[in-house]
Amino acid sequence: MADSIKEKILKSVTEDLGIISMATGYSNDIQLVERWEQLGQNKASLPAIFVHTGSEAKENRPSIVTHCKLVVYAVLWAIHDRNAFPVPTDEYLNLFAADIEKALMVDEQRDQLAERTTVTDIDFFELQEGQAFVGVIVEMSIEYKHKRGDPYTQL
């Protein structure tokens, strides 16, 4: 079965985040990148990034064009081991946030499928103060077009 333009874009985002490693010039080694799974995510290999979609606005333009603005989240989970990384937690998370933004912007047109990718928001989270599990939520907006009524055909 063929993938829609949206699905191809999501696969591109996931693939691009998978290159984050110190060997490729980043500050961290990401152990796992996977798409959102309703039954739960695999948090056994951290740090890990989980990619999932938010809302998608669609605007029918003149002729046969549908312009789409897709919100996508890259959610990083990590463990802040103070013995291995003796820095404040926000400094530790800033390194991950910078790596994610850099990886996303390597190909902001997502293999020529999108007009642009824009990082719109970065937020940190913790499960409970004093616990080692922390993370980063990177929100991005991806604009693309497809043929009106046919999300499989790129314009």
Side-chain angles (χ1 to χ4, degrees):
M1 183 160 101
D3 288 334
S4 67
I5 303 304
K6 175 181 176 178
E7 185 59 30
K8 289 177 183 177
I9 288 170
L10 291 168
K11 287 180 178 178
S12 170
V13 167
T14 304
E15 199 174 285
D16 287 351
L17 292 170
I19 68 167
I20 298 174
S21 74
M22 290 188 285
T24 56
Y26 292 85
S27 296
N28 297 283
D29 287 317
I30 300 299
Q31 300 299 311
L32 174 73
V33 178
E34 65 182 24
R35 297 278 296 281
W36 177 74
E37 179 60 53
Q38 188 269 336
L39 296 175
Q41 302 302 140
N42 177 6
K43 295 181 190 75
S45 298
L46 298 179
I49 300 173
F50 306 108
V51 177
H52 63 96
T53 58
S55 62
E56 181 177 30
K58 293 191 174 229
E59 176 188 347
N60 288 326
R61 294 198 171 163
S63 71
I64 60 168
V65 177
T66 297
H67 180 267
C68 306
K69 194 169 189 177
L70 174 65
V71 175
V72 179
Y73 299 97
V75 181
L76 172 115
W77 283 72
I79 296 174
H80 186 191
D81 179 352
R82 296 283 301 193
N83 294 322
F85 300 98
V87 297
T89 302
D90 65 340
E91 183 177 341
Y92 176 67
L93 292 176
N94 275 326
L95 291 171
F96 284 110
D99 282 350
I100 292 169
E101 184 172 2
K102 179 181 174 182
L104 290 171
M105 299 317 289
V106 165
D107 178 14
E108 79 174 77
Q109 291 187 316
R110 315 263 61 93
D111 300 322
Q112 303 302 312
L113 295 167
E115 294 176 350
R116 73 186 56 81
T117 301
T118 307
V119 173
T120 57
D121 193 45
I122 298 174
D123 198 14
F124 298 159
F125 70 88
E126 60 185 341
L127 293 185
Q128 184 176 356
E129 193 169 328
Q131 287 190 349
F133 288 102
V134 294
V136 177
I137 301 169
V138 176
E139 179 182 314
M140 69 202 87
S141 172
I142 301 173
E143 294 183 50
Y144 71 100
K145 294 184 284 194
H146 64 74
K147 184 177 178 182
R148 183 180 301 164
D150 182 3
Y152 294 94
T153 303
Q154 180 183 5
L155 292 177

